Amino acid sequence: MRVAFDPGPRDGAPRIQRLHEDGSPAGAPEALPDLAAVAALEKAEAPRWVFARARTYRRLLAAGVGAPVGVGRAHDVELVEGLLVAADGRFGQPHGLAAAVARLHGRTPDPDPPAVEDGPPALFDTAAPGDELADVVAVHAAQQRVLAAAGPGMRLLAAAESAGMLVAEEMTAAGLPWRADVHDRLLVELLGPRPVLGGRPPKLAALAEAVDAAFGRPVNPDSPAEVLRAFARAGHELSSTRSWELKQVDHPAVAPLLAYKELARLHSAHGWAWLRSWVRDGRFRPEYVVGGVVSGRWASRGGGALQIPKAVRAAVRADPGWRLVVADAAQLEPRVLAALSGDHALAPGDEDLYTALAAREFGGDRAKAKLALLSAMYGQTSGGAAVLLATLRRRFPAAMAFVEDAARAGEEGRLVRSHLGRTCPPARPGHEQPAAARARGRFTRNFVVQATAAEWALVLLAELRGQLRAAGSPAELVFFQHDEVLLHAPAEVAEETVAAVHTAAATAGRRLFGDSPVRFPMQARVVEGYDER
DNA sequence: CGTATAAGCGCC
DNA sequence: AAAGGGCGCTTATACG
């Protein structure tokens, strides 16, 4: 059973409509007395809820519906529309509910409305006039027709993307445990006491002075142009101030400048201002954007959630009596390539893939093995990669042919798709130019692997969430970053949470690749702080 | 004054 | 030695 849901205007009654699996109505629209009625229906029937968009579920969670477990299954009409539009070779074209309705009626859709910010409910309400329930029902039915014809991969992808929406909203609601006091202590250790009136913290100021002294004149280390001029005067012509380039230079300003840049970045990106803006009540609450990256990876808004530097991870600490379960997929992308291409010798078991490959082909040099594989998946050709790639081509011809076919498709302006059917954006005008064609080839080469890895991770999240719900576990998913998951769990259920992670990983592999021998192991650890190994 | 872009670097 | 996929964010800088 599916149930389309419209939360209605702010003070109006929410409505539902029961649907058959193919999206056709199984009854007339029904008024619900309040949002809490959703929880009752979930408990009684556990339908797949058809929501217009993530914000619908966010409203339910904000209203405390079904807390702490929310709803079990969903179909996110706008996310699915995005997948279908892309599959049709029209990636990025409008895929909001209104656009989908327009398309149903043969009209050219208007651009999607900008994302509605959290604010007074009136803003939200005026943004969606008309009969949203009818629109959701109609578009969903059309989507089900397309999905039925598209095959099992796309159906799984639609379900996984929608499950991702549920996880993302719940994660935002839960927040990542964040100890502001620990974060502050780290900053003071690295930067010195927080300056009261703004300006540079003591250690940054000292490094800036050391740079001035080395150049014999004031140089703003935050200005790449000034730094370049200063080095030029000292006889060093640089093309940039990137750290790898600075490291080549023999000049007394280099060491303090590199130290300055590292600490300045910490100060500006994850310093006291960040802490003040993003951490409230012991939680860091970024907003996750499912499908926000072309490859299907999530993006985030606010606080740079997907770039938390290792230097501050000690601030992520479990509540008293609780633990963090930190789980990351081991060498996910090369394993995905092995499964995609059927070149199973590339990923023979659970052991570290790079170490195993190094032992067989690269004289035990793990770094070489890793560079070789990343080069194959990213399209790198220089920096000594060519000779490594020749080895891979000899030993793993199917895997290499797979990524090279994807690259050729891109160069020729064709579309490529992930394993389940996520489709890359079309080539842009000018892609025939050789440099642009090569760049697109690198993009499509990487897309097939990265997008498939992203959908493995989505299925993992969905499976893990499903297991926790089925077990009535109090563990919460609190962070997700491409191939890494953090859960926050009472200490006494930490180990069973680890077991759930391993089970979910194995299940995700089977759901994507059937009985492929390629394994997708996750390393999971129970810790109190995110910095602990 | 605010906005747009480039540089640079954090994460995967 | 030097460079290749995907992002978000901050600062400096140019521009209207």
Side-chain angles (χ1 to χ4, degrees):
Chain A
M1 174 66 69
R2 294 180 173 229
V3 173
F5 172 74
D6 172 12
R10 176 168 39 144
D11 297 318
R15 293 188 304 154
I16 60 166
Q17 186 161 10
R18 293 164 190 273
L19 307 172
H20 297 296
E21 202 57 25
D22 68 357
S24 59
E30 305 168 38
L32 292 183
D34 50 34
L35 292 180
V38 169
L41 191 51
E42 169 69 19
K43 191 163 185 226
E45 302 183 31
R48 185 176 294 274
W49 293 90
V50 181
F51 296 144
R53 58 187 71 84
R55 183 156 296 276
T56 306
Y57 190 49
R58 192 173 307 183
R59 274 183 86 177
L60 285 175
L61 289 175
V65 169
V69 290
V71 306
R73 298 180 302 151
H75 176 114
D76 183 314
V77 167
E78 295 193 344
L79 282 177
V80 171
E81 190 71 11
L83 295 171
L84 295 178
V85 165
D88 217 20
R90 295 177 294 157
F91 180 97
Q93 290 194 13
H95 58 274
L97 182 63
V101 170
R103 226 174 261 120
L104 273 186
H105 294 102
R107 299 196 308 267
T108 304
D110 293 326
D112 288 332
V116 180
E117 299 299 325
D118 278 319
L123 281 177
F124 174 82
D125 295 339
T126 55
D131 189 346
E132 182 160 298
L133 183 62
D135 289 346
V136 166
V137 168
V139 173
H140 169 255
Q143 291 179 343
Q144 288 299 87
R145 284 193 292 276
V146 176
L147 287 171
M154 281 298 287
R155 290 196 289 277
L156 176 55
L157 180 57
E161 191 92 327
S162 298
M165 178 277 287
L166 298 177
V167 173
E169 293 304 321
E170 291 165 5
M171 246 178 213
T172 296
L176 180 63
W178 197 284
R179 285 274 298 273
D181 59 326
V182 174
H183 189 162
D184 178 71
R185 197 165 67 234
L186 286 169
L187 293 176
V188 172
E189 278 168 19
L190 291 164
L191 302 169
R194 177 185 189 175
V196 182
L197 298 174
R200 287 188 178 123
K203 296 201 181 178
L204 274 184
L207 287 167
E209 279 174 32
V211 171
D212 290 347
F215 282 125
R217 60 192 299 159
V219 173
N220 178 4
D222 290 322
S223 166
E226 261 191 64
V227 170
L228 282 186
R229 282 194 295 272
F231 275 113
R233 274 192 298 265
H236 300 280
E237 295 289 343
L238 303 179
S239 58
S240 77
T241 63
R242 288 186 163 85
S243 59
W244 65 262
E245 193 166 352
L246 290 176
K247 284 172 190 156
Q248 321 289 316
V249 178
D250 181 19
H251 187 279
V254 168
L257 184 55
L258 289 172
Y260 176 91
K261 284 161 78 83
E262 192 175 333
L263 290 180
R265 176 160 183 87
L266 177 68
H267 179 234
S268 66
H270 288 93
W272 290 284
W274 181 92
L275 191 50
R276 196 181 136 81
S277 300
W278 296 110
V279 177
R280 284 263 185 289
D281 304 324
R283 295 290 187 271
F284 168 43
R285 292 176 204 277
E287 178 182 359
Y288 298 97
V289 185
V290 175
V293 178
V294 295
S295 63
R297 281 181 171 183
W298 292 10
S300 69
R301 268 200 297 262
L306 304 185
Q307 303 119 261
I308 299 171
K310 293 194 163 76
V312 300
R313 290 186 179 181
V316 180
R317 285 194 69 81
D319 290 348
W322 290 56
R323 297 290 184 272
L324 297 172
V325 174
V326 181
D328 67 302
Q331 308 96 40
L332 176 58
E333 294 194 347
R335 290 177 190 278
V336 161
L337 174 57
L340 273 173
S341 63
D343 210 333
H344 300 146
L346 182 58
D350 276 359
E351 73 276 25
D352 182 282
L353 189 149
Y354 300 130
T355 301
L357 176 60
R360 285 181 291 162
E361 305 295 335
F362 295 103
D365 188 339
R366 185 179 186 276
K368 261 190 190 172
K370 184 173 179 177
L371 177 63
L373 272 172
L374 293 180
S375 298
M377 293 184 293
Y378 290 173
Q380 179 175 343
T381 53
S382 55
V387 58
L388 304 178
L389 288 176
T391 300
L392 288 189
R393 202 168 287 116
R394 194 177 64 249
R395 279 288 281 111
F396 308 107
M400 292 300 285
F402 190 91
V403 290
E404 285 167 2
D405 284 351
R408 194 172 317 110
E411 288 172 12
E412 293 171 358
R414 305 188 330 251
L415 299 174
V416 295
R417 302 180 202 273
S418 70
H419 185 60
L420 294 184
R422 192 184 301 271
T423 307
C424 76
R428 291 192 309 209
H431 70 91
E432 309 83 358
Q433 303 298 325
R438 283 194 300 275
R440 180 166 169 84
R442 287 192 298 272
F443 167 67
T444 51
R445 169 195 293 261
N446 184 252
F447 181 93
V448 292
V449 177
Q450 189 185 114
T452 303
E455 58 206 14
W456 178 88
L458 270 182
V459 173
L460 165 84
L461 281 180
E463 292 292 340
L464 185 50
R465 177 180 186 272
Q467 277 192 62
L468 297 176
R469 287 175 56 85
S473 169
E476 286 186 313
L477 286 153
V478 292
F479 188 64
F480 169 59
Q481 177 174 238
H482 310 317
D483 61 358
E484 182 177 19
V485 176
L486 262 69
L487 300 105
H488 191 222
E492 57 272 21
V493 303
E495 285 304 332
E496 65 191 54
T497 304
V498 167
V501 166
H502 292 309
T503 304
T507 306
R510 278 197 305 277
R511 302 260 326 237
L512 257 69
F513 298 113
D515 55 5
S516 163
V518 175
R519 307 275 300 257
F520 295 92
M522 293 197 86
Q523 298 174 340
R525 58 188 199 269
V526 177
V527 294
E528 295 188 41
Y530 188 19
D531 58 320
E532 297 164 29
R533 297 304 313 173

